[in-house]
């Protein structure tokens, strides 16, 4: 689950990381009421789940006397397809310098990896490309926890000058605590600013939590914002499907997580781009297929691939599910179906009678769907 900046900041401040004074509001009346209580300069920040709000015009400085004007421009504005419904009104920080400090769940290195840089404020992906030497990466073994020598490695690596090292070390330890205690996949402070009087403050908060841990975080229920892609993943979850949105254009409906992963790999291998990971599990229930299709088609696609292995699930049941589903929803892009396993002949027969082409080799079906998608 992605958290908004104000929610992430709340977690930071509970852990003792300074974030600066501010309030999240949804109306201009609230801005009117609090504009004179936050100092001579305010910063007004859109709370939407998109990166680069600043560049998109969603972060603006304002004097108390024009706070209402600035806030009314940001509230309701559209940022990359999302409407701004909440804004964070904060006391502006007098910034001397911007650093970067982030921590991620790092599957490749089987640990929790800190990244820190003296080049904060800007897109860290950009820094990684243009100045890879300016990013320090330190992987923590979560069973041992963050070690003091690693704290020093991070702080020195990010080139914090001597007078800021104690504060910076404190940020690292506390950020690690926030990350672990809240089952995060990402906790990022960009920028981590140094004020003109030498204080470190987290001027932004980007936090994502691991949905696999939601059973032990009842508090997450109220924190979820159903705008944006989180909603689709949640709908899928409610329907008993696992769905992860990706940025390609070939929709995939697969049964079994392993087969779904393999399908995405083979699509990529053949020059296509999967639009999603979707595991419909061991069910052939037409309702589930309809739900899957609706979730899938919430974003523009070029083609759809069904890749079903009938083990316990019978292919003919899946075929009936597909036929019923296609009767219910209109699909105006090419669909490639590959079925194999129990009762596949019956399934193929049913689908072919209904006018669908069915392949039995995964390789063949994937090559076909990639070609169809790339020709559109
Ligand atoms: P993002 O674009 O979504 O990452 O939003 P940020 O919260 O990181 O803000 C973008 C940029 O706005 C920062 O890198 C700062 O340069 C600037 N900014 C944000 N908050 C403040 C503030 O309190 N004071 C000042 N002077 N600038 C700020
Ligand atoms: Mn930022």
């Amino acid at each position: 689950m992605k958290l908004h900046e104000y929610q992430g900041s709340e977690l930071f401040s509970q852990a003792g990381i300074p974030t600066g004074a501010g309030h999240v509001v949804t109306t201009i009346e609230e801005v009117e009421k609090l504009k004179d209580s936050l100092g001579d300069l305010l910063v007004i920040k859109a709370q939407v789940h998109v990166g680069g709000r600043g560049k998109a015009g969603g972060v603006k400085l304002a004097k108390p006397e024009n706070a209402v004007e600035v806030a009314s421009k940001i509230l309701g504005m559209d940022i990359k397809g999302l409407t701004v419904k909440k804004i964070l009104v904060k006391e502006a920080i007098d910034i001397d310098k911007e650093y970067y400090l982030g921590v991620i769940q790092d599957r490749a290195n089987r640990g929790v990896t800190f990244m820190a840089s003296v080049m904060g404020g800007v897109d860290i992906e950009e820094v990684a490309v243009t100045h890879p030497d300016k990013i320090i990466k330190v992987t923590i073994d979560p069973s041992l926890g963050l070690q003091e020598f690693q704290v020093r490695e991070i702080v020195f690596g990010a080139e914090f000058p001597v007078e800021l090292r104690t504060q910076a070390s404190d940020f690292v330890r506390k950020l690690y605590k926030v990350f672990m205690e809240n089952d995060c996949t990402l906790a990022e402070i960009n920028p981590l600013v140094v004020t003109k009087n030498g204080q470190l403050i987290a001027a932004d908060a980007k936090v994502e939590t691991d949905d696999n841990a939601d059973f032990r975080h009842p508090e997450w229920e109220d924190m979820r914002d159903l705008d944006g892609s989180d909603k689709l993943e949640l709908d899928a979850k409610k329907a008993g499907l696992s769905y992860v949105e990706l940025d390609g254009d070939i929709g995939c409906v697969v049964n079994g997580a392993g087969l779904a992963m393999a399908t995405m790999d083979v699509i990529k291998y053949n020059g296509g781009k999967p639009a999603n990971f979707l595991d419909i599990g061991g069910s052939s229930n037409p309702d589930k297929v309809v739900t899957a299709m609706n979730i899938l088609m919430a974003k523009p696609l070029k083609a759809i691939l069904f890749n079903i292995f009938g083990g316990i699930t019978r292919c003919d049941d899946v075929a009936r599910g597909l036929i019923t589903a296609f009767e219910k929803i209109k699909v105006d892009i090419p669909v490639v179906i590959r079925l194999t396993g129990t009762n596949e002949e019956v399934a193929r027969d049913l689908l072919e009678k209904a006018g669908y082409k069915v392949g039995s080799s995964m390789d063949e079906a994937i090559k076909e769907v990639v070609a169809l998608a790339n020709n559109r």
Side-chain angles (χ1 to χ4, degrees):
M1 168 172 70
K2 287 182 187 149
L3 303 194
H4 283 298
E5 176 190 2
Y6 76 92
Q7 297 168 319
S9 295
E10 177 74 34
L11 296 180
F12 288 175
S13 73
Q14 281 164 11
I17 297 172
T19 57
H23 301 278
V24 64
V25 302
T26 54
T27 63
I28 292 299
E29 291 72 48
E30 291 166 279
V31 179
E32 181 74 55
K33 268 188 214 148
L34 63 83
K35 66 182 171 37
D36 297 309
S37 63
L38 291 165
D40 299 339
L41 193 61
L42 310 177
V43 58
I44 298 179
K45 311 178 80 176
Q47 301 296 292
V48 279
H49 289 314
V50 292
R53 286 169 309 169
K55 277 188 205 150
V59 178
K60 291 237 170 350
L61 294 171
K63 294 233 162 62
E65 55 271 27
N66 63 4
V68 164
E69 187 193 328
V70 173
S72 42
K73 281 196 187 124
I74 298 181
L75 252 182
M77 95 186 256
D78 176 286
I79 302 185
K80 300 181 189 169
L82 292 177
T83 307
V84 180
K85 294 176 184 160
K86 287 183 183 167
I87 51 175
L88 182 60
V89 182
K90 289 183 71 182
E91 176 175 12
I93 305 161
D94 203 2
I95 298 177
D96 189 33
K97 190 165 169 46
E98 304 186 331
Y99 289 84
Y100 172 94
L101 181 66
V103 53
I104 54 161
Q105 193 184 71
D106 184 356
R107 289 194 171 83
N109 292 303
R110 301 187 185 93
V112 168
T113 297
F114 264 95
M115 287 178 293
S117 176
V118 64
M119 298 179 73
V122 290
D123 215 352
I124 196 68
E125 285 83 8
E126 211 174 295
V127 180
V129 174
T130 55
H131 297 85
D133 54 311
K134 289 288 182 190
I135 302 181
I136 174 95
K137 290 186 186 170
V138 177
T139 300
I140 317 301
D141 179 339
S143 58
L144 297 175
L146 175 67
Q147 305 292 308
E148 278 304 302
F149 76 89
Q150 294 173 315
V151 174
R152 285 191 291 277
E153 219 177 320
I154 297 161
V155 168
F156 281 79
E159 302 175 24
F160 281 100
V162 59
E163 66 278 11
L164 295 177
R165 283 181 201 150
T166 308
Q167 283 185 73
S169 302
D170 206 42
F171 264 64
V172 172
R173 292 184 206 104
K174 287 173 174 166
L175 190 62
Y176 184 73
K177 192 165 155 2
V178 167
F179 183 92
M180 296 306 281
E181 287 181 357
N182 294 285
D183 288 310
C184 295
T185 52
L186 170 80
E188 186 186 80
I189 307 175
N190 189 26
L192 189 175
V193 304
V194 186
T195 65
K196 292 263 159 59
N197 40 29
Q199 296 299 306
L200 294 191
I201 299 182
D204 191 8
K206 189 171 172 194
V207 177
E208 292 179 19
T209 60
D210 187 343
D211 286 334
N212 295 307
D214 64 1
F215 67 96
R216 55 185 181 202
H217 295 279
E219 77 278 13
W220 289 358
E221 193 59 35
D222 299 332
M223 293 166 78
R224 214 176 269 279
D225 176 352
L226 296 179
D227 285 352
S229 61
D230 267 4
K231 167 145 178 33
L232 289 181
E233 295 186 9
L234 197 72
D235 285 351
K237 200 167 176 177
K238 279 194 190 134
L241 310 164
S242 353
Y243 173 85
V244 179
E245 189 173 318
L246 303 170
D247 53 15
D249 49 26
I250 300 176
C252 311
V253 184
V254 187
N255 67 336
L259 187 61
M261 296 296 283
T263 303
M264 297 188 321
D265 281 347
V266 181
I267 290 177
K268 273 270 187 192
Y269 181 77
N270 282 289
K273 290 188 288 304
N276 64 282
F277 169 98
L278 176 61
D279 174 10
I280 60 166
S283 157
S284 49
N285 177 344
D287 288 345
K288 223 170 175 180
V289 180
V290 173
T291 312
M293 295 287 288
N294 282 329
I295 290 170
L296 214 64
M297 296 192 11
K299 67 177 228 178
L301 299 175
K302 289 193 174 159
I304 297 178
L305 171 71
F306 280 83
N307 188 11
I308 306 294
F309 177 77
I312 296 169
T313 309
R314 288 167 33 185
C315 289
D316 55 324
D317 279 350
V318 177
R320 284 189 196 92
L322 288 182
I323 293 167
T324 316
F326 287 136
E327 277 164 6
K328 287 193 187 163
I329 20 184
K330 197 180 133 19
V331 182
D332 49 10
I333 51 173
V335 176
V336 175
I337 303 167
R338 180 258 181 167
L339 287 159
T340 197
T342 313
N343 287 1
E344 82 175 80
E345 294 77 13
V346 187
R348 187 165 305 132
D349 210 45
L350 282 168
L351 285 164
E352 278 166 2
K353 279 199 184 112
Y356 296 98
K357 238 186 103 191
V358 189
S360 68
S361 133
M362 172 156 155
D363 206 40
E364 190 186 295
I366 289 179
K367 281 189 176 128
E368 185 173 342
V369 80
V370 171
L372 286 165
N374 289 349
N375 283 334
R376 283 170 74 87

